[in-house]
Amino acid sequence: MDGAVMSGGLVVVGALTLPGVRRSVAYARRFLRDMVPEAHPRLDDLVTVGSETVTNAIAHTDSGDGGRVTVSLLAGGDVYRLEVADDGAGGRRLVPKAETCAESGRGLRIVEALSDDWGFRADGARTVVWAEFGVKSSGNTDRGLSECSRTLVPAAFEGGNP
């Protein structure tokens, strides 16, 4: 697939702009599954992070108030880079919450746990959240979360109790 070359040698593999509505999360997941080879060892991590970042954009920014969300996938060398652009939040920027037992507020912690690196940048009024996934082979054969994550509890992969 032809794409524009970005700085750092990354090439845009594909981009999809969606309305800021909940059902767009499923379309974003399907888009990412279609863009990344099925056998890629980090596919599930990438799709999970895509789902979290699109959900956050719809729930916490102007994208969810009649706006839009753009999901972009870039690749280069041994790295995939996911970028999710929202319509901004009236000048507010991302703030990861302290770890709690709450059922919400953990999206950015999931992004941090499953990606090799992540961050965000302003793009005018919009905010772009990005996450990178190296091509590392994992011994995880159940197609669940990748063992490549540096913060997942090892017991989850060793059969121990949390």
Side-chain angles (χ1 to χ4, degrees):
M1 180 176 232
D2 290 336
V5 176
M6 304 295 289
S7 65
L10 296 177
V11 175
V12 176
V13 175
L16 179 66
T17 298
L18 299 162
V21 296
R22 292 252 176 231
R23 72 177 175 274
S24 291
V25 177
Y27 288 105
R29 282 193 301 263
R30 172 54 46 207
F31 166 74
L32 292 170
R33 287 203 177 276
D34 286 347
M35 293 288 102
V36 178
E38 186 176 330
H40 192 282
R42 303 293 302 278
L43 175 62
D44 290 326
D45 294 346
L46 195 147
V47 171
T48 299
V49 168
S51 181
E52 286 296 327
T53 52
V54 171
T55 297
N56 283 349
I58 293 167
H60 302 295
T61 75
D62 294 344
S63 292
D65 190 23
R68 58 191 165 79
V69 177
T70 302
V71 180
S72 301
L73 186 65
L74 298 87
D78 290 340
V79 174
Y80 276 103
R81 182 180 181 112
L82 168 68
E83 295 188 351
V84 176
D86 62 50
D87 285 342
R92 296 182 322 273
R93 295 290 177 208
L94 297 170
V95 179
K97 294 181 180 178
E99 196 165 326
T100 68
C101 293
E103 289 200 23
S104 66
R106 294 178 288 190
L108 292 178
R109 295 235 176 258
I110 291 170
V111 172
E112 181 179 42
L114 296 181
S115 64
D116 293 331
D117 196 14
W118 76 280
F120 64 93
R121 68 178 184 277
D123 184 11
R126 302 187 96 201
T127 300
V128 178
V129 177
W130 58 268
E132 292 184 347
F133 303 84
V135 181
K136 299 184 237 176
S137 181
S138 158
N140 184 11
T141 58
D142 68 357
R143 303 253 322 133
L145 299 177
S146 167
E147 277 188 81
C148 298
S149 170
R150 37 179 211 280
T151 57
L152 289 177
V153 179
F157 294 100
E158 296 169 2
N161 292 326

